[in-house]
Amino acid sequence: MEIAFKASPLKMKAPIVNFVNRIKKLGKDDPRRIVHSFKVALAITLVSMVYYLRPLYKGMGEAGIWAILTVVVVFEYTAGATLCKGMNRGLATLLAGALGLGAEYLASLFGPKVEPIVLGCFVFLLVAAATFSRFIPHIKRRYDYGVLIFILTFSLVAVSGYRVDKIIELAHQRLSTIILGGATCIIISICVCPVWAGEDLHNLIVSNLEKLASFLDGFGGEIFDLPLDGDSADISNEQDKSSLAAYKSVLNSKATEESLANFAWWEPGHGKFGFSHPWKQYLKIGVVTRQCAYHIEALNGYLDPKFQGSSEFRKIVQEPCMKMSSEAGKALKELAVSIKSFSYPCNFAMHIQSCTTAVNEVNTTLQASMVGEWEVLEIIPIITVISILIDIIKCVETIFLAIEELSEQAHFKKSLNENEKPQLLHGDERQDKGFVTVIIHNMASASPAMKDSRG
Amino acid sequence: MEIAFKASPLKMKAPIVNFVNRIKKLGKDDPRRIVHSFKVALAITLVSMVYYLRPLYKGMGEAGIWAILTVVVVFEYTAGATLCKGMNRGLATLLAGALGLGAEYLASLFGPKVEPIVLGCFVFLLVAAATFSRFIPHIKRRYDYGVLIFILTFSLVAVSGYRVDKIIELAHQRLSTIILGGATCIIISICVCPVWAGEDLHNLIVSNLEKLASFLDGFGGEIFDLPLDGDSADISNEQDKSSLAAYKSVLNSKATEESLANFAWWEPGHGKFGFSHPWKQYLKIGVVTRQCAYHIEALNGYLDPKFQGSSEFRKIVQEPCMKMSSEAGKALKELAVSIKSFSYPCNFAMHIQSCTTAVNEVNTTLQASMVGEWEVLEIIPIITVISILIDIIKCVETIFLAIEELSEQAHFKKSLNENEKPQLLHGDERQDKGFVTVIIHNMASASPAMKDSRG
């Protein structure tokens, strides 16, 4: 009995402790979540107290309801999303209110018996059209909430059955409460520890590039330092691999990036981001970054110690291969730093030059080894790794081109060693075509073109 | 002047025609969108007419507002989403109403002067806690809207300032209108041409598999039938390629799949889908399908005619390579048909057996040909293609295992030739480990393991 008595609270305790720990982790991972919760609570308390304490209304009337409702529905995590919803709500209420009044007036011309039927038809047709418009991608992206509020307000006003003069008074009262609620949200959202969607997008793009960079940086060491017998793969290796796996989150970042870019569009200038910061270009960088991540995903399969192939052949290509991978990683890291610090990626040319040299070295090595030294089966994995690495270097180059475009649009500062790039590549057609491309073309059959990401 | 006069309406006309065509296409692509628009319009017209025509209320009172509001906010495209929102709204309103009453009663014990402060504290703390709970992934996924309504209702009730007996009357009235609005939505959503999220998820998974299948089916012909000189790539080729590119949408299907699976969870049994249909297993199939799509993305780069490598070497591996690709495509097609028809994929064993044979053929061919015959540089692209194709076959096998699990959970029917699989692979350890894996292990160095998708 005693054991059962002791075990029971323990059993109860474990899931509770577990739950509390998960909640704590949520807060620790992003403390802005806690701040956001208090911001929402502050806004609602403020608005409700205004209406509760106002001596004019005994208790809370219509108006209070709409103010609280507006705050609850409009207040979002990022400032951009709050602005988007607030503006949508305000404008849609105005537009729908006016249209509703018009519909009511028109219907009243038909006389009291036909009026409900005419009104019903108006509501039916306008609601159907507005609902359908929510499927248009552009409207869905930017004005979805506005259309919702339009439908709501139009139906309410059109069917309210009040006389027009009373409606105008009502509309005035309701609009002012909505404006009060919306303004409270927007002011608190922007002034108290704001969470900017644009900044989040910026940081997401940087961290995605860093994740790919750290994979490439570690990949060379991982694939060539593996013990040849698969069984003795040790635990530290497993840990290294799990740190390499961070890139996997990049594969599915599209939805987040797009919603952040949408909200960023609504935000005023803040910090280093101007009002017309080229958020669309971030999406382009996101696309080519994901393209690179797909190739890395293909490469990742070759880390298994069971499939390492001929050790002799590996040795002769090991050095340039590791260099290709780590220099591509460094080039990506440089690009990430460049976005982070709003400066032109000056050292990129150096790293990609090293990549090119490494590709050339592999090229030479392979050209030299045409005699029947190796069995084809033995060299397949390493050849595939080389081939995919070259694809990745081309992706890195495409990412560079997208970031170069961003650096022009967002006026990134160019540092003193800005002239390094032309010096390094002076008199070389590579400058126009992208650094690696020419080398790759020389390796006539060495690997496929990345047409998709260039198109 | 005349030209300007003529040109101007034409200029005006072009964007309008363009816009109308885009709208028409939206409707044609999925006629259910048009039906949905009319369903929403019907629900709102019905609810507002009920309140408008009811002789008891002169004009529309409080109650009508809440009924229309509920319909506008709750009615979603799929039945599952509507149910999710409706149930969330109903339950959250009940719970928050009760808690709000309790808070109001507790606060009133402190006397009229301290009451607003105590109430303010209650609202502040509860709203902060509820807002934070929306960051918990499980709640965000399933009860996000419920928490929103909870915050709204609790604030409204707690700060309403009415006496408790009046609140109960108000609550009764409001709850009944919300139930009326919600029930209207749910009934129309389920009974009039319902759009089931579950069915959409089912179809999405099938069509994703079909897209990958048609890529693999066309890939062999595409890569080996290309003219060797890159410039003469003709237009029909371009068209073929664009039809191959359908697989690209699979890469980014994660978000859609997850939201559909969430909504499907709320749906009652319908058609061939029982109440406890294993929707989660569809997500697992989605994950391994995307894994396969990543490898296909890597393969896609090798379709460029510039990088075809040695034509001699291509000739000797052409036949088994094309077979690998097309049989993998057929195997995937079989899996798609199996899900579509709720039947066990009986012919899968046959196709994957052909894949295995083709892999063996390539194996033999490569073993016979020492590198001495070919320059390593020349054979790189084809070797890489073979290597990636083998990875893809392993992915297909993983997809099969996931679908086999689904077929057990969802009780797929087994047709007459159900015994084909054991006959084909009888007495073979492959049956346990997956068909290709053993072959792959025999090709000791031929390609990497797909640990991630197996894990």
Side-chain angles (χ1 to χ4, degrees):
Chain A
M1 268 307 280
E2 206 185 340
I3 294 167
F5 184 77
K6 269 185 185 167
S8 157
L10 266 178
K11 258 187 193 169
M12 286 277 290
K13 218 176 160 187
I16 294 175
V17 169
N18 203 351
F19 179 76
V20 170
N21 283 340
R22 271 171 53 204
I23 299 287
K24 266 189 197 162
K25 194 178 170 297
L26 265 181
K28 246 185 201 166
D29 282 355
D30 194 348
R32 297 179 305 173
R33 289 169 178 160
I34 302 173
V35 176
H36 170 71
S37 306
F38 284 116
K39 275 159 72 181
V40 175
L42 177 69
I44 290 180
T45 313
L46 272 182
V47 169
S48 55
M49 283 299 118
V50 164
Y51 281 89
Y52 189 73
L53 298 176
R54 244 163 79 170
L56 282 173
Y57 295 79
K58 281 261 169 197
M60 208 173 42
E62 269 286 271
I65 290 181
W66 286 96
I68 291 185
L69 202 144
T70 305
V71 173
V72 171
V73 179
V74 165
F75 212 128
E76 291 277 333
Y77 184 54
T78 59
T82 309
L83 269 164
C84 167
K85 279 200 152 180
M87 306 288 260
N88 264 307
R89 187 170 188 111
L91 292 177
T93 305
L94 264 179
L95 184 66
L99 268 177
L101 273 183
E104 177 120 324
Y105 176 74
L106 257 176
S108 70
L109 296 180
F110 288 87
K113 285 223 167 157
V114 195
E115 192 184 341
I117 301 168
V118 176
L119 269 180
C121 293
F122 277 150
V123 170
F124 186 85
L125 290 177
L126 226 92
V127 169
T131 306
F132 188 76
S133 80
R134 290 176 73 191
F135 290 111
I136 300 172
H138 180 71
I139 290 185
K140 173 135 206 85
R141 207 163 49 231
R142 207 152 275 168
Y143 307 107
D144 194 53
Y145 183 68
V147 178
L148 196 82
I149 293 297
F150 176 88
I151 295 174
L152 174 65
T153 310
F154 179 80
S155 318
L156 286 182
V157 172
V159 209
S160 63
Y162 290 119
R163 277 163 299 121
V164 170
D165 53 343
K166 206 181 163 194
I167 282 189
I168 289 179
E169 185 200 326
L170 195 81
H172 172 252
Q173 187 204 24
R174 188 155 309 163
L175 206 66
S176 65
T177 48
I178 288 182
I179 289 174
L180 179 96
T184 311
C185 290
I186 292 175
I187 291 172
I188 291 187
S189 172
I190 291 184
C191 299
V192 185
C193 313
V195 176
W196 300 107
E199 210 177 305
D200 274 15
L201 176 62
H202 183 89
N203 294 337
L204 179 67
I205 294 286
V206 170
S207 91
N208 281 352
L209 286 175
E210 280 171 349
K211 281 172 188 167
L212 300 193
S214 75
F215 177 91
L216 289 175
D217 213 31
F219 176 79
E222 196 67 36
I223 196 164
F224 289 106
D225 284 337
L226 275 175
L228 275 176
D229 47 326
D231 303 318
S232 68
D234 57 298
I235 300 155
S236 75
N237 245 328
E238 286 299 316
Q239 282 171 342
D240 280 357
K241 266 184 221 169
S242 76
S243 84
L244 286 185
Y247 78 90
K248 284 197 184 271
S249 71
V250 182
L251 297 168
N252 292 309
S253 61
K254 188 177 179 236
T256 318
E257 282 171 17
E258 284 183 352
S259 86
L260 284 177
N262 271 329
F263 293 139
W265 185 84
W266 290 90
E267 289 174 351
H270 54 277
K272 288 186 168 183
F273 307 97
F275 183 71
S276 59
H277 197 73
W279 300 117
K280 269 196 177 171
Q281 188 62 27
Y282 282 85
L283 290 185
K284 280 190 198 164
I285 298 173
V287 169
V288 288
T289 306
R290 264 194 305 285
Q291 195 79 34
C292 187
Y294 298 146
H295 287 272
I296 286 184
E297 174 74 9
L299 195 60
N300 186 46
Y302 291 80
L303 279 180
D304 195 293
K306 286 195 194 102
F307 300 94
Q308 291 306 311
S310 150
S311 61
E312 301 298 311
F313 185 72
R314 273 172 65 209
K315 266 180 205 152
I316 67 160
V317 290
Q318 173 168 349
E319 207 199 328
C321 259
M322 283 179 76
K323 202 170 152 199
M324 267 161 77
S325 175
S326 74
E327 288 294 327
K330 278 176 198 153
L332 271 180
K333 183 83 196 152
E334 169 74 18
L335 292 177
V337 169
S338 134
I339 299 186
K340 208 181 210 168
S341 60
F342 294 85
S343 57
Y344 188 85
C346 297
N347 298 322
F348 179 80
M350 194 180 74
H351 294 301
I352 209 74
Q353 181 69 25
S354 306
C355 281
T356 316
T357 316
V359 172
N360 274 334
E361 273 173 44
V362 172
N363 200 349
T364 319
T365 312
L366 294 184
Q367 241 157 3
S369 66
M370 53 178 291
V371 246
E373 289 176 66
W374 326 104
E375 279 185 42
V376 175
L377 270 185
E378 291 257 291
I379 61 174
I380 283 184
I382 297 295
I383 293 248
T384 311
V385 165
I386 293 173
S387 198
I388 297 179
L389 272 176
I390 291 175
D391 291 345
I392 289 175
I393 294 175
K394 279 185 281 173
C395 284
V396 171
E397 200 183 89
T398 323
I399 298 175
F400 166 73
L401 294 177
I403 291 177
E404 199 175 37
E405 225 173 289
L406 175 73
S407 80
E408 274 161 29
Q409 289 170 9
H411 313 294
F412 279 11
K413 62 176 180 288
K414 296 206 171 191
S415 64
L416 280 175
N417 42 355
E418 149 188 32
N419 296 319
E420 242 175 42
K421 178 183 140 196
Q423 269 174 14
L424 260 170
L425 302 156
H426 181 68
D428 199 327
E429 57 168 331
R430 273 177 280 181
Q431 208 175 332
D432 294 332
K433 288 199 181 179
F435 316 128
V436 183
T437 313
V438 175
I439 298 294
I440 307 294
H441 276 278
N442 293 343
M443 285 179 71
S445 55
S447 88
M450 279 281 311
K451 13 177 215 357
D452 301 308
S453 55
R454 307 298 294 267
Chain B
M1 268 308 279
E2 206 184 338
I3 295 169
F5 182 76
K6 270 188 186 167
S8 159
L10 267 178
K11 258 188 192 169
M12 286 278 291
K13 218 176 158 188
I16 294 176
V17 170
N18 201 351
F19 179 75
V20 171
N21 283 339
R22 270 171 54 202
I23 298 287
K24 267 189 195 161
K25 195 178 170 296
L26 265 182
K28 248 186 200 165
D29 283 354
D30 194 347
R32 298 180 305 173
R33 287 170 179 159
I34 302 172
V35 177
H36 170 71
S37 306
F38 284 116
K39 276 159 70 181
V40 175
L42 178 70
I44 289 180
T45 314
L46 272 181
V47 169
S48 55
M49 283 298 119
V50 164
Y51 281 89
Y52 190 72
L53 297 176
R54 243 161 82 166
L56 282 174
Y57 295 78
K58 281 263 172 198
M60 208 173 40
E62 270 285 272
I65 290 182
W66 286 95
I68 292 185
L69 202 144
T70 304
V71 173
V72 171
V73 179
V74 164
F75 212 129
E76 290 277 333
Y77 184 54
T78 60
T82 309
L83 269 165
C84 166
K85 279 198 153 180
M87 305 288 259
N88 263 308
R89 188 172 187 109
L91 292 177
T93 306
L94 264 179
L95 184 66
L99 267 178
L101 275 183
E104 179 123 320
Y105 176 75
L106 257 177
S108 70
L109 296 180
F110 287 88
K113 285 219 166 158
V114 195
E115 192 184 341
I117 301 169
V118 176
L119 269 179
C121 292
F122 276 149
V123 170
F124 186 84
L125 290 177
L126 225 92
V127 169
T131 306
F132 188 76
S133 79
R134 292 176 72 191
F135 290 109
I136 301 172
H138 181 71
I139 292 185
K140 172 136 209 84
R141 208 162 49 231
R142 207 152 275 168
Y143 307 107
D144 194 53
Y145 184 66
V147 177
L148 197 80
I149 294 296
F150 176 86
I151 295 174
L152 175 64
T153 311
F154 179 80
S155 316
L156 286 182
V157 172
V159 207
S160 64
Y162 291 119
R163 277 163 299 121
V164 170
D165 54 341
K166 207 180 163 195
I167 282 189
I168 288 178
E169 184 200 327
L170 195 81
H172 172 254
Q173 186 203 24
R174 187 153 309 162
L175 206 65
S176 65
T177 46
I178 288 182
I179 289 174
L180 179 97
T184 311
C185 291
I186 291 175
I187 290 171
I188 292 187
S189 173
I190 290 184
C191 300
V192 185
C193 311
V195 176
W196 300 108
E199 209 177 308
D200 274 16
L201 176 61
H202 183 89
N203 294 337
L204 180 66
I205 295 287
V206 170
S207 92
N208 280 352
L209 286 175
E210 280 170 348
K211 281 172 189 167
L212 300 193
S214 76
F215 177 92
L216 289 175
D217 212 31
F219 177 78
E222 195 66 38
I223 196 164
F224 288 107
D225 284 337
L226 276 175
L228 275 176
D229 47 326
D231 302 321
S232 68
D234 58 299
I235 300 156
S236 75
N237 243 329
E238 286 299 315
Q239 282 170 343
D240 281 354
K241 266 184 221 168
S242 77
S243 83
L244 286 186
Y247 79 90
K248 284 195 184 276
S249 71
V250 182
L251 296 169
N252 292 310
S253 59
K254 189 179 180 235
T256 319
E257 281 170 18
E258 284 182 352
S259 88
L260 285 177
N262 272 328
F263 294 139
W265 184 84
W266 291 91
E267 288 174 353
H270 55 277
K272 291 188 168 183
F273 307 97
F275 183 70
S276 59
H277 197 73
W279 300 117
K280 268 197 177 170
Q281 189 61 27
Y282 282 85
L283 290 185
K284 280 189 198 163
I285 298 174
V287 169
V288 288
T289 307
R290 262 193 307 285
Q291 195 80 35
C292 187
Y294 297 147
H295 286 271
I296 287 185
E297 174 73 9
L299 195 60
N300 186 46
Y302 291 80
L303 280 179
D304 194 292
K306 286 195 193 101
F307 301 95
Q308 292 305 312
S310 152
S311 61
E312 301 298 312
F313 185 71
R314 273 172 64 207
K315 266 179 205 151
I316 67 160
V317 291
Q318 173 167 349
E319 206 199 328
C321 258
M322 282 178 79
K323 203 169 152 202
M324 268 161 73
S325 175
S326 75
E327 288 294 328
K330 278 176 197 154
L332 270 181
K333 181 86 195 150
E334 168 73 16
L335 291 178
V337 169
S338 134
I339 300 187
K340 209 182 207 166
S341 60
F342 293 86
S343 58
Y344 188 86
C346 298
N347 298 322
F348 179 81
M350 193 181 74
H351 293 302
I352 209 73
Q353 182 69 26
S354 308
C355 280
T356 316
T357 316
V359 172
N360 274 334
E361 274 173 46
V362 172
N363 199 349
T364 319
T365 313
L366 293 185
Q367 241 157 4
S369 62
M370 296 291 283
V371 179
E373 290 175 61
W374 326 104
E375 278 185 44
V376 175
L377 272 184
E378 291 254 296
I379 61 174
I380 283 185
I382 296 296
I383 294 263
T384 310
V385 166
I386 293 173
S387 198
I388 297 179
L389 271 176
I390 292 175
D391 292 344
I392 288 175
I393 294 174
K394 280 184 281 175
C395 284
V396 171
E397 199 183 273
T398 322
I399 297 175
F400 166 73
L401 294 178
I403 291 177
E404 200 175 37
E405 225 173 289
L406 175 72
S407 81
E408 276 161 30
Q409 291 170 9
H411 313 295
F412 280 12
K413 61 175 182 286
K414 295 205 172 194
S415 66
L416 281 175
N417 43 357
E418 153 188 26
N419 296 318
E420 239 177 43
K421 179 185 144 198
Q423 267 173 19
L424 260 172
L425 302 157
H426 180 67
D428 200 327
E429 57 168 332
R430 272 176 283 179
Q431 207 176 333
D432 295 332
K433 289 196 180 179
F435 316 129
V436 183
T437 314
V438 175
I439 298 292
I440 306 294
H441 276 278
N442 293 344
M443 283 179 72
S445 56
S447 86
M450 281 281 310
K451 13 176 214 359
D452 302 308
S453 54
R454 307 299 294 268

